[in-house]
């Protein structure tokens, strides 16, 4: 008898309880050796006034087992609630989200029968840092944070995953033609790390054309690594065009733990009607079994599931005349998988999880470089102002320039409007005013910024924040204004 592995399980909301019961039944019948701890998350917890959707006590179980099989939850609409998924991923440091998207043609209808790709999505950074502010009457801000260690971890993970799972190519998607510093860093780190994996092909695409190719010719891709937001969106697209969002599972991997879930949501409209396809959660559970060293059980479950699909026993979301034989509910689908445990598919290639397959567990820690030589060379002061045209603001602010800092440029939503802006540019009430050092060595001190802010405030202007402008080893750590 295999030693039991403790896992934490949450049944979630909507179709969550049905697909979790189905999945646990299959795991049990397949001989998985698990000790299950159940926690409650989601809607009922939110309704009890816990804005995170998870009770403090539930963390004890997660921190003890470090393996979480999770059903989807319903995120309440409106403000005041934090996304539970984002909280769990970030609190447990689950930096890699791995989403295999595979076509099961000809049994599951798809336009892309040869599609077989894995999206590796960065899970902790980017716009999901959740740092948002209302800065003026008209403008909201969301901070996009991308770090070098974060990029190194996810990019290395993607290459290691490709190697361990016998894949040939890693593609990177970014938008670094526009976001030169944040996405630019992701791309740069990708190019650096790719050099260490000469056995694998690699390429980079701007995310817009990459997304178009993914939707049109997904069979050209193998492993795709990307920052958080693009990965979130494009993995749903990929799962859907492979057959159905109901079919894809995902793992969230970190050094301290792992979470496994279907990629779809709680599908409240079909909840409780025995209609849901449990395959996404079942696929996630297979990934979990590999993760905890029960690859043999994962092999049995995966093959039985493939047998069920190729017999044409399909839930409504993947049922199609000509491809399917029998339309079944969640229960019957589950029974069909259980009946086929021990069988191998004859149309699909049978699966065999070997030692070392699956996700990457231990990576070398990201390298911490020695700090760069950092010089403070200016400051962007952001203002809330709506009392006139840009030239008037330029005139007011020019009075605040002194021998240390001089006003060089004003932009509105990133476009230069002073000096010599175009009258056609639409201006909101949110202004970025760039002051550059005028000192002999081109650098300033913190106190110069503080005294500038005092002068700005004295002129009656409402500054909402400032952003230091620094050179790092002589390279500007800031971008130019559009039109500058
Ligand atoms: P959804 O994924 O729940 O549903 C999208 C569509 O796919 C619906 O038509 C649904 O019926 C269908 N579908 C999804 N899973 C299916 C399955 N297993 N079998 C058959 N059909 C399936 O997305 P949504 O409607 O945008 O979101 C519903 C709720 O889920 C929202 O509250 C959302 O916040 C939440 N959500 C949770 C997670 C999560 O917990 N990981 C992820 C995404 C969305």
């Amino acid at each position: 008898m295999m030693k039991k592995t403790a896992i934490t399980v949450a049944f979630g909301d909507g179709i969550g309880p049905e697909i979790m019961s189905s999945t646990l039944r299959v795991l049990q019948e397949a001989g998985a050796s698990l000790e299950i701890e159940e926690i409650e998350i989601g809607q009922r917890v939110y309704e009890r006034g816990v804005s995170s959707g998870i009770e403090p006590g539930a963390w004890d179980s997660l921190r003890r087992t470090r393996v979480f099989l999770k059903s989807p939850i319903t995120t309440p609409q409106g403000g005041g609630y934090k996304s539970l998924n984002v909280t769990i991923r970030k609190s447990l440091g689950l930096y890699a989200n791995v989403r295999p998207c595979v076509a099961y043609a000809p049994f599951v209808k798809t336009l892309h029968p040869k599609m077989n790709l894995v999206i590796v999505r960065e899970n902790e950074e980017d716009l999901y840092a959740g740092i948002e502010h209302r800065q003026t009457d008209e403008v909201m801000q969301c901070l996009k944070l991308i770090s070098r260690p974060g990029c190194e971890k996810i990019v290395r993970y993607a290459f290691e995953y490709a190697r361990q799972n016998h894949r040939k190519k890693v593609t990177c998607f970014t938008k670094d033609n526009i976001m030169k510093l944040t996405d630019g860093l992701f791309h740069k780190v990708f190019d650096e790390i790719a050099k260490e994996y000469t056995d694998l092909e690699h390429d980079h695409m701007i995310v817009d054309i990459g997304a178009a190719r993914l939707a049109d010719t997904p069979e050209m891709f193998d492993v795709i690594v990307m920052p958080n937001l693009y990965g979130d969106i494009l993995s749903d697209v990929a799962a859907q065009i492979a057959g159905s969002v109901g079919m894809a599972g995902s793992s969230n991997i970190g050094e301290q733990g792992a979470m496994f879930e279907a990629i779809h949501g709680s599908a409240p409209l079909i909840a409780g009607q025995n209609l849901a396809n449990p395959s996404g959660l079942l696929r996630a559970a297979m990934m979990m079994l590999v993760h905890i060293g029960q690859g043999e059980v994962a092999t049995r479950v995966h093959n039985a599931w493939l047998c069920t699909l190729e017999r044409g026993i399909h839930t409504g979301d993947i049922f199609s005349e000509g491809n399917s034989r029998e339309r079944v509910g969640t229960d019957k689908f589950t029974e069909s998988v259980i009946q086929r445990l021990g069988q191998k598919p004859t149309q699909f290639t049978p699966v065999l999880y070997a030692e070392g397959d699956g996700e990457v567990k231990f990576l070398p820690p990201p390298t911490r470089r020695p700090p760069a030589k950092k010089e403070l060379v200016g400051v962007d002061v952001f203002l809330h102002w709506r009392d006139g045209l840009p030239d008037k603001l330029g005139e007011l602010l020019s009075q605040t320039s002194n021998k240390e800092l001089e006003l060089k440029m004003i932009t509105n939503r990133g476009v230069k409007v002073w000096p010599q802006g175009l009258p056609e540019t639409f201006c909101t009430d949110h202004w970025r005013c760039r002051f550059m050092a005028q000192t002999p060595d081109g650098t300033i001190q913190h106190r110069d910024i503080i005294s500038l802010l005092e002068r700005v405030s004295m002129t009656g202007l409402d500054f909402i924040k400032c952003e230091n402008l620094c050179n790092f080893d002589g390279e500007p750590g800031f971008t130019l204004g559009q039109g500058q």
Side-chain angles (χ1 to χ4, degrees):
M1 182 69 185
M2 242 184 299
K3 188 175 168 292
K4 287 195 170 181
T5 304
I7 65 165
T8 303
V9 160
F11 281 72
D13 302 317
I15 59 172
E18 297 159 69
I19 59 173
M20 183 58 83
S21 303
S22 155
T23 298
L24 293 181
R25 276 207 59 209
V26 175
L27 295 190
Q28 190 187 8
E29 296 292 334
S33 195
L34 303 171
E35 196 176 293
I36 291 171
E37 296 186 11
E38 194 189 325
I39 60 168
E40 193 187 19
I41 54 168
Q43 203 165 16
R44 269 173 303 169
V45 182
Y46 283 118
E47 281 165 10
R48 286 204 292 272
V50 182
S51 66
S52 61
I54 177 166
E55 298 278 8
W59 289 106
D60 297 341
S61 172
L62 289 173
R63 297 185 64 222
R64 192 167 44 241
T65 67
R66 299 188 181 275
V67 181
F68 186 21
L69 181 63
K70 175 185 158 292
S71 264
I73 59 151
T74 302
T75 315
Q77 299 287 316
Y81 300 105
K82 293 302 274 185
S83 159
L84 175 60
N85 282 328
V86 177
T87 304
I88 292 175
R89 287 174 192 152
K90 289 172 58 167
S91 305
L92 297 179
L94 311 179
Y95 65 89
N97 186 194
V98 182
R99 297 181 162 193
C101 299
V102 182
Y104 297 96
F107 304 99
V108 178
K109 198 172 160 193
T110 170
L111 293 173
H112 310 286
K114 294 212 169 70
M115 178 172 178
N116 181 353
L117 59 86
V118 180
I119 292 184
V120 177
R121 161 189 171 196
E122 198 290 320
N123 228 0
E124 295 180 293
E125 305 197 331
D126 196 358
L127 291 157
Y128 291 61
I131 307 176
E132 292 193 293
H133 297 96
R134 179 171 180 173
Q135 295 190 316
T136 67
D137 288 321
E138 293 176 341
V139 174
M140 312 286 176
Q141 170 189 269
C142 176
L143 273 189
K144 171 161 167 138
L145 295 178
I146 302 264
S147 75
R148 178 170 267 276
C151 294
E152 286 188 8
K153 268 167 36 179
I154 195 65
V155 169
R156 191 172 292 287
Y157 187 94
F159 278 101
E160 287 289 329
Y161 178 94
R163 211 180 241 175
Q164 278 188 29
N165 290 276
H166 323 291
R167 292 192 173 257
K168 306 254 170 325
K169 185 168 82 172
V170 183
T171 303
C172 174
F173 285 1
T174 69
K175 187 78 184 167
D176 64 338
N177 54 333
I178 302 295
M179 282 160 280
K180 295 180 196 300
L181 292 184
T182 47
D183 281 24
L185 177 63
F186 198 96
H187 185 176
K188 192 167 164 196
V189 169
F190 177 78
D191 287 345
E192 285 168 11
I193 290 185
K195 292 199 185 100
E196 298 174 34
Y197 293 84
T198 47
D199 51 322
L200 295 167
E201 291 171 51
H202 71 276
D203 59 2
H204 170 270
M205 286 183 190
I206 299 291
V207 62
D208 33 8
I209 189 62
R213 296 251 169 84
L214 176 67
D216 183 59
T217 33
E219 55 285 350
M220 71 182 280
F221 295 103
D222 199 351
V223 173
I224 317 178
V225 62
M226 48 190 130
N228 206 338
L229 178 66
Y230 314 140
D232 191 0
I233 297 167
L234 293 181
S235 56
D236 268 37
V237 172
Q240 183 67 29
I241 64 173
S244 160
V245 281
M247 297 280 284
S250 78
S251 60
N252 298 269
I253 306 292
E255 262 117 48
Q256 308 290 331
M259 172 168 83
F260 302 86
E261 58 182 341
I263 77 156
H264 60 75
S266 59
L269 292 180
I270 60 165
Q273 299 164 50
N274 194 29
L275 289 173
N277 185 350
S279 298
L281 190 59
L282 202 52
R283 286 287 292 113
M286 295 173 207
M287 295 165 95
M288 178 190 77
L289 289 169
V290 176
H291 173 82
I292 60 176
Q294 299 189 24
E296 216 180 296
V297 187
T299 301
R300 212 170 312 145
V301 174
H302 203 149
N303 284 328
W305 178 70
L306 290 174
C307 287
T308 308
L309 292 181
E310 71 180 23
R311 281 293 295 167
I313 301 169
H314 294 167
T315 45
D317 59 315
I318 55 169
F319 185 89
S320 68
E321 293 297 342
N323 300 74
S324 311
R325 214 175 272 184
E326 204 183 334
R327 182 196 285 264
V328 294
T330 317
D331 289 349
K332 186 92 188 280
F333 186 87
T334 311
E335 288 306 325
S336 303
V337 176
I338 290 170
Q339 268 171 22
R340 286 169 179 76
L341 287 167
Q343 295 179 19
K344 289 211 173 98
T346 54
Q347 310 294 313
F348 292 124
T349 311
V351 170
L352 177 64
Y353 289 104
E355 183 93 19
D357 277 357
E359 86 278 352
V360 183
K361 282 195 192 126
F362 302 105
L363 289 182
T367 50
R368 302 305 282 264
R369 303 183 160 202
K373 180 167 180 252
K374 186 176 171 190
E375 292 164 316
L376 188 56
V377 296
V379 64
D380 279 345
V381 178
F382 289 76
L383 299 178
H384 180 181
W385 186 77
R386 58 187 302 168
D387 298 335
L389 294 172
D391 281 350
K392 181 173 172 200
L393 184 59
E395 204 176 299
L396 275 172
L397 274 177
S398 292
Q399 298 162 22
T400 65
S401 294
N402 66 3
K403 65 182 186 355
E404 274 82 37
L405 278 164
E406 186 182 18
L407 179 69
K408 289 284 183 198
M409 168 185 82
I410 302 175
T411 67
N412 197 292
R413 291 185 299 172
V415 182
K416 191 187 78 168
V417 291
W418 183 94
Q420 291 147 8
L422 295 177
E424 288 83 2
T425 307
F426 177 78
C427 290
T428 66
D429 59 359
H430 183 273
W431 309 81
R432 185 264 303 261
C433 312
R434 176 159 291 181
F435 291 82
M436 296 301 293
Q438 291 310 301
T439 52
D441 69 351
T443 67
I444 50 161
Q445 309 294 320
H446 281 166
R447 62 173 176 273
D448 299 319
I449 296 177
I450 295 165
S451 84
L452 170 70
L453 292 177
E454 272 171 6
R455 295 194 297 279
V456 169
S457 186
M458 297 282 279
T459 52
L461 292 165
D462 178 13
F463 71 82
I464 48 186
K465 74 162 188 175
C466 69
E467 200 76 63
N468 293 357
L469 305 177
C470 296
N471 287 346
F472 290 81
D473 287 337
E475 289 286 314
F478 47 92
T479 51
L480 298 179
Q482 277 151 21
Q484 192 184 0

